[in-house]
Amino acid sequence: MIRVILLTTLCFIVNSLSAAAQQESVLQYKVSFNDRTSHYVHIEVNVPAPKSDSFELMMPTWTPGSYLIREYSRHIDEITAGSAGDAKVTIQKTSKNRWLVKCVPGQDVKIQYRLYCREMSVRSNWVDEDMAILTGAATFLTVDGARNAVHQIHFDIPDSWTRTLTALNAVEGREHTYRAENLDELIDSPVLCGNPIVQDFSAGGIPHVLATIGDGSLWDTAKAAADVQRIVAEQQKFWGGVPYSSYKFLNVISETGGGLEHDNSTLVMTSRWNFRNKEKYEDWLSLISHEFFHTWNVRRLRPSELTNYNYEVENNTRSLWVAEGVTSYYEDLMLVRTGLIDHAAYLKRLSIPIQKLQTNPGRHVQSLAESSFDSWIKFYRPDENSSNTRVSYYVKGCVVGFLLDARIRELTNDAKSLDDVMRLLYQRYSGPKGYSDTDFASIVSEVAGVDMNAWLAQHVESTDELDYQPALNWFGLTFPTAGSETADPDAKSQDVSNTAATNAAESDAKKEKPKEPAAWLGVQVSETGGSVNVTGVVQGSPAQAAGLNVDDELLGFNQYRVSAKNWKDQLTQLGVSEKVRILISRRGEIRTLEATILPEPKEKWELKPSPKPSDGIKARMTKWLGEEVRAGK
């Protein structure tokens, strides 16, 4: 009797669980493209039987990875609500991104809205006759409080399109239908619809896809996929594990640029002409490398402030320089370590952020941590004065990553590096907890074997000028035109033989007749319709001292008319220290300003290796960049 009761009870529990599974609350979406030539999509959302007589709809105001409030709801032109029966349903907008729906409890509610999609970027939507690129935050409304609910989407694509590609799991037996286990997964998974060229490859035993859409006629997509495969394999090796079961690279030929990372995919944009241009193709590979590195650093390993996104307000953190800047440092390191670029090309690419930083007056005003925190209100909203007051956490973060890597290598005699910091940080802080500034500093100190808090404070929290010399010494590098000298810490008697050659080179340099310094005014301009209009004024420049303003039109130098065709030539003929009268038009009023011309700043922050490196320098370069190989071999 007891056995029968137990069996009956067990069957009841099993049946109850099965019924609960069948009654799973699922928000169901249908996305249609009938009005795609006008850049519209039509979206239906079926909200299963609410228990109360009202609920709120919400749309995100920003998308993770792009830290700016973008107000996606502004693209909703029409929205209505109804029910399966005759029950009355009303909908009213209550804030910029929320709607209150009043309904009859227990009856499904259908929401319909029309969404305009004509912004070609990785953080927004584009729809036309040829293709659709949809990002979750910019596309989908959801029910407030349903963050952990299943969201199922069916894409009703036109007959002329063949594929939908997304990292979301496909619903078995239903073509072009996908399932997101929660809102975060939905927002994190961009969708590509149309007729892409698809290249499949495997890395680490995991399937990957490179899908190119827009116009792949000038792209060798098989070659591109093979190069991406090498990057993927190198980064899998770097991190020591693969946190995904499949991955998709969505490559849009859009004549624009940019990339945005996601858990199991990335969306990038490029030009049809970039594949056959060596440097631009390397830029594309660098972008792929950057976004894929985020698979670990940002998507799984996050600053603690970004572990639980609030999709309606700013999520400020002082650690974006780790998330983005350190990733920027590694984007090209991955290329050189795979042999896709050689050592010389890598040093050239590393010189670019250094040059940008050192010629940006804003580095004296804004710290790296402040740049991270103020991303939401400053980085994505540059103005004519930005270069004078701001610093990029991408640019300076990359440079500080380089200096930090060199410092750790020096302190540990090359036994440890920034590689070890990132791997240990990932091991301890990936997941829901995330890391704090203190956690990062603690890991750096542990790996370096000394307290690194003071070093990090100086480089991250202050606006002190960066000291490149320790890193240059360690790797045997120099900035030849910046006047820096490299001291090889391993140099002993073996370097004495280089002295004569060095002296001879210096003697030859002295014999060269120095070039006349170029005249410098310190303005950025736009040259349109034959006129020259000021778009930026460099801090500390002759233009600033003279009182030139943005939007001033340059009319003449010393009573001589200037134009877009000749103003540069006229400026170069003015002598250094010469005073020049500048005729301008300011809001239609003719004025004359006076400036004293200065010589153009000469410093060029281009990294160069020692011409005759010691064995110690060679070993350190190899450990840092990998074996020297010819690019592409």
Side-chain angles (χ1 to χ4, degrees):
M1 182 69 177
I2 294 177
R3 185 178 179 183
V4 172
I5 293 174
L6 288 175
L7 286 173
T8 303
T9 303
L10 180 61
C11 290
F12 174 78
I13 293 172
V14 170
N15 290 333
S16 297
L17 290 174
S18 176
Q22 293 174 2
Q23 295 174 6
E24 177 186 42
S25 178
V26 179
L27 289 169
Q28 297 194 35
Y29 298 76
K30 180 182 178 182
V31 182
S32 304
F33 301 93
N34 295 334
D35 201 11
R36 62 191 180 280
T37 56
S38 298
H39 313 290
Y40 277 99
V41 295
H42 183 265
I43 301 174
E44 296 180 3
V45 191
N46 188 71
V47 181
K51 294 181 180 179
S52 65
D53 62 358
S54 68
F55 61 89
E56 272 196 300
L57 293 171
M58 183 274 290
M59 190 175 200
T61 63
W62 66 283
T63 190
S66 184
Y67 307 103
L68 176 70
I69 300 297
R70 297 188 181 276
E71 315 294 16
Y72 292 123
S73 61
R74 73 187 191 277
H75 295 304
I76 294 179
D77 288 348
E78 299 174 8
I79 184 168
T80 61
S83 70
D86 296 327
K88 183 178 180 181
V89 178
T90 63
I91 184 169
Q92 181 179 9
K93 195 169 188 179
T94 57
S95 67
K96 64 181 182 181
N97 67 314
R98 282 180 172 258
W99 294 259
L100 178 65
V101 179
K102 294 184 178 181
C103 58
V104 176
Q107 291 195 16
D108 290 0
V109 175
K110 179 181 287 187
I111 307 297
Q112 300 186 64
Y113 59 101
R114 190 168 179 247
L115 186 69
Y116 188 64
C117 306
R118 198 185 180 278
E119 183 181 347
M120 184 66 85
S121 80
V122 295
R123 56 194 174 260
S124 53
N125 295 332
W126 178 275
V127 173
D128 65 12
E129 185 175 4
D130 300 321
M131 61 183 169
I133 302 111
L134 301 176
T135 59
T139 304
F140 298 110
L141 292 173
T142 190
V143 175
D144 183 41
R147 184 164 186 160
N148 294 319
V150 172
H151 295 63
Q152 183 169 296
I153 310 97
H154 173 71
F155 296 94
D156 186 14
I157 65 173
D159 293 339
S160 58
W161 294 357
T162 58
R163 299 286 295 267
T164 53
L165 286 163
T166 178
L168 292 172
N169 288 324
V171 174
E172 188 174 354
R174 295 195 60 188
E175 194 174 18
H176 309 301
T177 305
Y178 302 88
R179 174 185 172 103
E181 297 302 322
N182 50 56
L183 177 64
D184 294 311
E185 191 174 294
L186 177 66
I187 288 177
D188 182 56
S189 306
V191 182
L192 192 66
C193 305
N195 302 301
I197 301 169
V198 177
Q199 299 288 344
D200 298 286
F201 64 90
S202 178
I206 304 296
H208 297 72
V209 166
L210 172 64
T212 301
I213 197 169
D215 179 8
S217 60
L218 298 178
W219 275 66
D220 183 343
T221 55
K223 167 69 166 57
D227 290 343
V228 173
Q229 182 180 31
R230 292 167 65 176
I231 295 170
V232 170
E234 183 67 29
Q235 294 197 20
Q236 289 177 343
K237 182 177 70 173
F238 175 93
W239 291 101
V242 183
Y244 54 86
S245 58
S246 64
Y247 196 94
K248 291 179 173 63
F249 294 92
L250 308 179
N251 182 38
V252 180
I253 308 297
S254 59
E255 303 311 302
T256 58
L260 194 62
E261 72 280 357
H262 302 278
D263 276 358
N264 305 316
S265 66
T266 189
L267 175 62
V268 299
M269 293 186 174
T270 187
S271 167
R272 62 176 54 85
W273 306 103
N274 285 354
F275 181 82
R276 299 185 182 187
N277 181 300
K278 182 177 182 296
E279 288 190 0
K280 291 181 179 180
Y281 179 62
E282 289 175 356
D283 289 342
W284 181 81
L285 291 176
S286 181
L287 176 64
I288 290 288
S289 179
H290 181 104
E291 304 306 337
F292 188 63
F293 198 84
H294 278 321
T295 304
W296 295 265
N297 186 32
V298 166
R299 295 310 310 166
R300 273 91 180 173
L301 173 64
R302 301 182 190 173
S304 55
E305 300 88 348
L306 298 178
T307 53
N308 187 24
Y309 296 128
N310 183 333
Y311 292 110
E312 299 183 82
V313 298
E314 295 89 344
N315 294 218
N316 300 93
T317 174
R318 299 175 72 84
S319 297
L320 278 183
W321 76 271
V322 179
E324 294 291 354
V326 170
T327 298
S328 295
Y329 171 59
Y330 276 103
E331 65 188 31
D332 291 326
L333 264 182
M334 295 295 114
L335 299 189
V336 71
R337 288 177 181 178
T338 61
L340 288 168
I341 62 175
D342 58 25
H343 286 191
Y346 174 73
L347 294 179
K348 182 178 179 180
R349 295 184 70 85
L350 180 57
S351 299
I352 294 172
I354 296 174
Q355 173 83 9
K356 286 181 179 179
L357 176 65
Q358 293 305 131
T359 55
N360 178 21
R363 73 187 189 279
H364 299 302
V365 178
Q366 187 182 52
S367 73
L368 191 48
E370 290 168 341
S371 173
S372 298
F373 192 85
D374 279 344
S375 168
W376 296 88
I377 59 174
K378 292 188 175 183
F379 180 78
Y380 288 95
R381 288 175 174 157
D383 56 37
E384 67 280 355
N385 199 40
S386 293
S387 63
N388 293 325
T389 60
R390 307 177 196 175
V391 69
S392 165
Y393 52 84
Y394 283 90
V395 171
K396 188 173 182 179
C398 172
V399 175
V400 169
F402 162 60
L403 299 181
L404 179 57
D405 195 6
R407 182 59 179 153
I408 294 170
R409 291 172 185 272
E410 181 184 5
L411 289 169
T412 62
N413 197 26
D414 236 357
K416 299 289 184 179
S417 70
L418 186 58
D419 299 9
D420 299 285
V421 169
M422 297 310 295
R423 285 190 285 261
L424 187 57
L425 193 69
Y426 184 81
Q427 290 170 16
R428 292 187 184 172
Y429 294 104
S430 61
K433 180 181 178 182
Y435 62 88
S436 65
D437 296 345
T438 303
D439 295 329
F440 181 79
S442 176
I443 293 291
V444 171
S445 298
E446 181 179 340
V447 172
V450 300
D451 188 340
M452 291 289 288
N453 280 280
W455 191 98
L456 287 168
Q458 182 178 18
H459 289 72
V460 177
E461 300 289 343
S462 82
T463 57
D464 292 351
E465 196 70 271
L466 299 181
D467 182 5
Y468 292 90
Q469 204 59 52
L472 300 181
N473 292 346
W474 183 253
F475 292 122
L477 302 172
T478 187
F479 297 122
T481 57
S484 59
E485 298 176 358
T486 302
D488 185 348
D490 292 337
K492 295 180 182 177
S493 58
Q494 72 268 27
D495 289 327
V496 175
S497 60
N498 294 336
T499 303
T502 302
N503 291 339
E506 291 176 350
S507 177
D508 290 340
K510 291 177 181 178
K511 294 177 183 178
E512 295 180 4
K513 185 178 179 180
K515 295 181 179 180
E516 291 292 332
W520 180 62
L521 189 57
V523 291
Q524 294 101 36
V525 303
S526 66
E527 302 169 353
T528 56
S531 63
V532 184
N533 296 286
V534 177
T535 58
V537 178
V538 178
Q539 192 171 26
S541 67
Q544 185 189 49
L548 270 169
N549 291 348
V550 170
D551 294 331
D552 287 348
E553 180 184 357
L554 297 181
L555 300 176
F557 295 145
N558 291 338
Q559 307 302 317
Y560 295 102
R561 185 77 169 91
V562 300
S563 66
K565 183 178 180 180
N566 66 10
W567 80 276
K568 290 181 181 178
D569 291 336
Q570 291 186 21
L571 183 63
T572 57
Q573 294 184 39
L574 297 173
V576 172
S577 300
E578 182 178 337
K579 290 187 177 181
V580 58
R581 294 184 305 281
I582 306 173
L583 190 66
I584 66 166
S585 172
R586 180 175 296 171
R587 296 186 296 276
E589 179 187 350
I590 306 300
R591 298 187 184 187
T592 301
L593 306 176
E594 189 172 272
T596 300
I597 301 301
L598 294 178
E600 183 180 16
K602 287 184 176 180
E603 289 187 334
K604 293 184 178 179
W605 299 82
E606 185 176 357
L607 290 167
K608 293 291 184 181
S610 170
K612 294 185 178 180
S614 66
D615 291 341
I617 290 292
K618 291 179 181 177
R620 286 195 286 274
M621 286 288 283
T622 298
K623 196 156 189 178
W624 177 37
L625 304 181
E627 290 286 348
E628 174 70 285
V629 295
R630 182 167 297 179
K633 299 296 182 182

